[in-house]
Amino acid sequence: AEECISYQIPAYKLPGGTVIHFAGWKTHYALYPASALVVATFADELAGRAMSKGTIRFALDEKVPVGLIARIVKLRAKEVRAKTAAKEGRPTPPR
């Protein structure tokens, strides 16, 4: 993935779309977008976290859930690749 700035915050993108945006705020840090697939797939691990339309918030005083974030990013990368493949009329590449 390529590092970039999108919507004035850091992000990683693949050809065909942005995989993940992230930003730090006064009381939390957040990941975007929290697609319906991401929320459904990680529902148990995201339970109790503040979430809103497309956003997953993590409290600054909690340990960074590196494993969860990595799995979210991998799933988002698959979503971007699948969307790109569908637009181009080709099968979704395995990864």
Side-chain angles (χ1 to χ4, degrees):
E2 179 183 332
E3 295 175 353
C4 65
I5 299 293
S6 178
Y7 297 101
Q8 299 180 348
I9 60 174
Y12 286 96
K13 67 178 181 176
L14 291 171
T18 302
V19 174
I20 200 88
H21 294 82
F22 53 97
W25 304 101
K26 193 175 192 176
T27 60
H28 68 278
Y29 61 97
L31 298 179
Y32 320 86
S35 66
L37 180 59
V38 166
V39 172
T41 301
F42 300 107
D44 290 343
E45 292 172 275
L46 295 173
R49 298 196 190 282
M51 294 193 307
S52 62
K53 187 178 177 183
T55 305
I56 302 169
R57 291 182 185 85
F58 297 89
L60 292 177
D61 62 354
E62 74 174 89
K63 185 176 177 183
V64 176
V66 176
L68 173 59
I69 292 171
R71 291 190 306 277
I72 289 170
V73 170
K74 287 178 184 177
L75 182 56
R76 283 288 306 136
K78 285 182 183 180
E79 284 184 298
V80 169
R81 288 187 186 106
K83 183 178 175 182
T84 301
K87 282 184 182 178
E88 296 173 356
R90 57 185 170 79
T92 303
R95 291 212 185 175

